[in-house]
Amino acid sequence: MALLTVKDLHIHFHTRNGIVKAVNGVEFSLEKGETLGIVGESGSGKTVCCYSLLGLLPTPPARIESGSAMFEGNDLLNMSEQDLRKIRGNRIAMIFQDPMTSLNPFMKLGEQLTEPLTTHNDISKQEARKRAIAAMQEVGIPEPERRIDCYPHEFSGGMRQRVMIAMALVTEPDILIADEPTTALDVTIQAQILDLIKKLQRERSISVIFISHDLGVIAGCADKIIVMHEGNIVESGTTDEIYYQTKHDYTKKLLNAIPSSAKPESAVFHAEEGSEPIFKIDGLLTHFPISDGGVFSGKTDECCKAVDDVSLQLLEGETLGLVGESGCGKSTMAKSIMRLVDITAGSITLNGKDLTRLEGEELKTARAEFQMVFQDPYASLNPRMTVYDLLAEAIYVQKNCSKDELLKQVVSLMDDVGLPAKAIRKYPHEFSGGQRQRIAIARALALKPRLLIADEPVSALDVTIQAQILDLLLELVKKYQITMIFISHDLSVVRYLTDRTAVMYGGKIVEYGNTEDVFNNPQHLYTKSLLSAIPIADPNKERTRQRVAYTADQIA
């Protein structure tokens, strides 16, 4: 008999603009010790379906219209809130997508880890603390006795996600629901989290529901998969059936969107003989002083070497992939090039100009030649400005052209990034995540820059939207002969997009060369570690491969 059986689940959102059918007749079952993968794009109903099992839907506007979710003879959907609280976080636990918004920033981790234990079990605070420390140790958090008294902001993204896993497992639940637990994490941290969940599942015989938009992530951990699209299950079966006997076009679309091959031949950069570099970095150092910890304390002689003696050069029209884990110095290097942070030493030359020596009006004028696409378009686009104002602002400031010419250029930019001209009077919040990223790209291209820096522009997007943005960047870089630095922690994306790759670790470039050479014949231990952590959209290969992991001392 199945541990959990969901039948004919219908969930509607009753809004001012009408009824949104978020989940339509979803059915699945989950056996003890089994992993079920639920796959689909954002808005497909994956998370809504699982939230309903634990009474976490916002009511109103959400309403469960019909269906049942039987767990050990009890229907979760018809339980009273008091009875459901005995199960939620105890028998059925959940790992949420974003640990920073799920963890209370005002509470120490120890208090948050012991709360489910003292709520659901009649144990003392001292015993709960011991079990919380043991859970932290089990998920691989070093020095748990000390770090249990830390706050969430004192942990990295990967470590916060480990805390979320420890919190979910501390009560030893029967079912674990993991909602996109690795989205936007470094590829190595993602591999560690996936391996950790699989290890704990084997040891405790836990049933897992793993929600993701990425079939590559699901490949090695799910026993069976359901594929959701617009609230409906369009395909279901064992993992092997979904991957090797794919039936539905939407599933094929998800599989085809996973970047797994080299850059298309039509987009490969071919340098002309005798070409001179258009962009050079020589001995770049960006160091940040470290204070001694007090609110009114001064700076010490120590410093954080965020970028440490980096040198590289690029030809016109060439694309460089800059890869590495969070904290390695990628974004700081980008901000140094953009003159958004002060550098300590070195030179940055674009088209014969040393950008580090420019100031005032001279720098403002030169900024037309180097632009940046930021990671989060919602944070980088002014919510009070329409798309027209966002795109026209830079053109007007730099060129001071007429209104008719401005409108013509804005419409041309919208056409370049595949958005309708009629959308120019809308605001950023009226667009999807992928559309907002297209607007951010259009804004960066408004002045036809010589250099474009794209800082993790697809890290949090669905794989299908990610594929569209990558193809768009390939097309625009070729069309306008733009030199681009593409920053990412995902080597699959970098391989698909770039001509050369630089691997960054601890502020230094540890490997640099043609992208295919780096992938096919990596020289540095750290590069090998990154490559071994890339999710493979092939269950057989994913099950048999060995990950390569090295300590910081070995890499150094």
Side-chain angles (χ1 to χ4, degrees), residues 239-309:
T239 300
D240 287 343
E241 287 171 347
I242 295 296
Y243 280 86
Y244 304 128
Q245 301 170 36
T246 313
K247 297 176 182 176
H248 200 278
D249 289 341
Y250 179 70
T251 311
K252 293 175 183 177
K253 176 186 172 184
L254 290 179
L255 285 169
N256 292 335
I258 301 170
S260 58
S261 59
K263 191 174 186 178
E265 183 58 36
S266 61
V268 172
F269 172 79
H270 297 286
E272 295 181 9
E273 190 173 346
S275 298
E276 289 293 321
I278 191 175
F279 177 71
K280 294 181 182 178
I281 297 177
D282 187 24
L284 180 63
L285 302 173
T286 304
H287 296 174
F288 297 107
I290 300 174
S291 68
D292 57 14
V295 176
F296 301 103
S297 62
K299 298 172 182 177
T300 67
D301 293 332
E302 296 183 16
C303 65
C304 170
K305 298 180 180 180
V307 180
D308 193 9
D309 195 21

Side-chain angles (χ1 to χ4, degrees), residues 8-61:
D8 195 32
L9 180 60
H10 290 260
I11 302 171
H12 296 173
F13 282 75
H14 296 259
T15 71
R16 292 177 180 177
N17 297 321
I19 296 175
V20 178
K21 298 180 180 180
V23 176
N24 289 314
V26 166
E27 295 188 353
F28 63 83
S29 62
L30 184 67
E31 306 289 338
K32 186 173 179 60
E34 184 179 52
T35 298
L36 169 69
I38 303 181
V39 185
E41 296 173 281
S42 297
S44 63
K46 310 182 302 293
T47 299
V48 170
C49 178
C50 291
Y51 273 27
S52 69
L53 305 179
L54 298 177
L56 297 176
L57 292 177
T59 52

Side-chain angles (χ1 to χ4, degrees), residues 58-120:
T59 52
R63 183 191 299 169
I64 299 174
E65 303 292 338
S66 65
S68 63
M70 303 305 295
F71 173 67
E72 294 186 338
N74 299 305
D75 187 355
L76 297 173
L77 305 183
N78 290 315
M79 278 187 174
S80 66
E81 178 61 23
Q82 185 177 358
D83 289 336
L84 193 57
R85 288 179 70 180
K86 295 176 182 177
I87 292 175
R88 185 172 55 219
N90 185 26
R91 305 291 305 285
I92 304 176
M94 192 162 193
I95 304 170
F96 294 94
Q97 181 173 352
D98 184 359
M100 197 57 189
T101 56
S102 303
L103 294 169
N104 189 326
F106 296 103
M107 291 175 65
K108 292 181 179 180
L109 294 173
E111 298 173 67
Q112 300 185 61
L113 280 164
T114 56
E115 186 177 24
L117 284 170
T118 54
T119 300
H120 296 291

Side-chain angles (χ1 to χ4, degrees), residues 411-421 435 438 442 472 475-476:
V411 170
S412 177
L413 283 169
M414 294 290 278
D415 185 58
D416 278 344
V417 297
L419 291 175
Q435 289 173 324
R438 286 173 183 265
L472 174 66
E475 178 188 335
L476 294 175

